[in-house]
Amino acid sequence: MTKEITSIQNPYIKQLVQLKDKSRERKKSGLFLIEGKRELSLALKGNYDVDTVLFYSELISEEELSSLIPSNIKRIEISKDVFQKIAHRDTTEGIIAVAKTKSHLLDDIIFKSENPLILVAEAPEKPGNIGALLRTADAANIEAVIIANPKTDLYNPNIIRSSVGCVFTKQVATGSTKDIVSFLKQHHINIFCAALQASANYHTQDYTLPTAIVVGTEATGLSDEWLQESTHNIIIPMQGEIDSMNVSVAAGILIFEAVRQRILNG
């Protein structure tokens, strides 16, 4: 039998609002919210443990819900007021799930290839940029994304939204710059740092060996710690008046050059 909640004053609904709005609450409880059919489908594909699904029947029927989720997941029908209270965006298709977070440790990464290609982003601040980086990583089908010195948790609703659920399907880890550098060296992965100083044009380098492409923030670039540990510094030649571009765009150019070389290399 499906439970129903119609009041925004319900204690469980108040808890979900906290999960939506506060990183501290997500970390404390080990839970987060997933909105939308595609995002939920990708979370299930990524083996996330989904505890409960809440649905607004005017937007999605229980029958349609049954085609999306396993029968053992608890379901709660909610009113329009409750849905609007806990939804992060308007176009959520009437479905919100409560799921358990994962650890995202460096040691959780499993390389399926002996020649991995990974992306490292140092201290990205904007959730939209993180989401775009994850979408690029998915499009290029690289092994993993590592966030160095993260400024926000990976279950921020804006990251989930902007990644269109790719945060669930790629291997994603976080750690300090020191720990990540150590991890890369332990796995004999070449470090290519996007930088303005002492850099070679990106298309002149060989990315067919185990490779990490490392990008920094648009405002300050990579820290000296990364530049000192770099195998090669690389740069995208600019044709206009400015000397930087959006970090997700730059990462896309660099990653797909590496993918192109690997395809040609067979």
Side-chain angles (χ1 to χ4, degrees):
M1 182 176 179
T2 302
K3 184 178 178 180
E4 184 176 6
I5 297 178
T6 59
S7 172
I8 61 173
Q9 299 303 321
N10 181 283
Y12 182 61
I13 299 304
K14 289 183 177 181
Q15 180 193 0
L16 298 190
V17 172
Q18 292 291 303
L19 287 178
K20 178 184 71 169
D21 294 339
K22 297 185 182 297
S23 174
R24 182 177 66 244
E25 188 63 29
R26 293 191 289 269
K27 291 176 182 177
K28 177 183 173 183
S29 65
L31 299 171
F32 70 103
L33 301 186
I34 304 168
E35 300 184 38
K37 298 175 186 175
R38 177 164 53 177
E39 289 84 348
L40 177 54
S41 175
L42 290 174
L44 291 168
K45 184 177 181 180
N47 295 316
Y48 272 79
D49 186 352
V50 176
D51 177 75
T52 304
V53 170
L54 301 94
F55 69 101
Y56 173 43
S57 61
E58 292 294 317
L59 295 179
I60 183 171
S61 68
E62 193 165 2
E63 290 73 24
E64 185 178 1
L65 192 64
S66 296
S67 68
L68 293 173
I69 65 172
S71 59
N72 63 321
I73 295 177
K74 184 167 61 177
R75 308 174 192 192
I76 299 176
E77 185 173 354
I78 55 176
S79 65
K80 181 178 181 180
D81 287 344
V82 171
F83 173 68
Q84 291 176 337
K85 186 70 175 176
I86 60 177
H88 182 67
R89 61 188 198 269
D90 296 330
T91 56
T92 310
E93 306 163 314
I95 184 169
I96 299 173
V98 184
K100 295 180 181 178
T101 61
K102 291 187 177 182
S103 61
H104 300 287
L105 301 174
L106 289 169
D107 288 341
D108 291 337
I109 295 177
I110 300 173
F111 293 121
K112 299 176 182 177
S113 165
E114 294 181 357
N115 192 27
L117 172 62
I118 66 176
L119 171 67
V120 179
E122 183 183 34
E125 295 182 353
K126 298 177 181 178
N129 278 343
I130 297 172
L133 289 168
L134 291 166
R135 290 180 71 174
T136 298
D138 181 83
N141 197 28
I142 66 174
E143 288 261 19
V145 177
I146 302 177
I147 308 295
N149 311 323
K151 301 293 185 182
T152 183
D153 74 282
L154 288 170
Y155 300 106
N156 182 306
N158 286 317
I159 293 179
I160 297 173
R161 178 186 64 180
S162 58
S163 76
V164 201
C166 291
V167 66
F168 305 132
T169 58
K170 300 308 300 180
Q171 293 191 93
V172 185
T174 61
S176 68
T177 288
K178 179 180 178 181
D179 288 343
I180 295 168
V181 168
S182 176
F183 173 82
L184 295 176
K185 288 185 173 182
Q186 175 188 342
H187 289 85
H188 308 291
I189 295 174
N190 292 313
I191 300 172
F192 290 88
C193 289
L196 296 176
Q197 301 84 18
S199 302
N201 284 352
Y202 76 99
H203 54 79
T204 66
Q205 301 303 299
D206 181 0
Y207 309 107
T208 59
L209 299 174
T211 293
I213 291 175
V214 188
V215 295
T217 64
E218 295 160 47
T220 60
L222 287 169
S223 64
D224 288 341
E225 192 174 0
W226 274 110
L227 299 180
Q228 291 166 5
E229 298 292 350
S230 176
T231 308
H232 298 284
N233 289 350
I234 53 176
I235 189 169
I236 301 171
M238 300 289 171
Q239 306 300 319
E241 300 298 326
I242 61 172
D243 62 1
S244 67
M245 63 176 66
N246 177 276
V247 64
S248 62
V249 174
I253 292 170
L254 299 174
I255 287 170
F256 274 95
E257 170 59 19
V259 171
R260 183 191 71 82
Q261 289 185 14
R262 287 162 177 247
I263 292 172
L264 289 176
N265 200 48

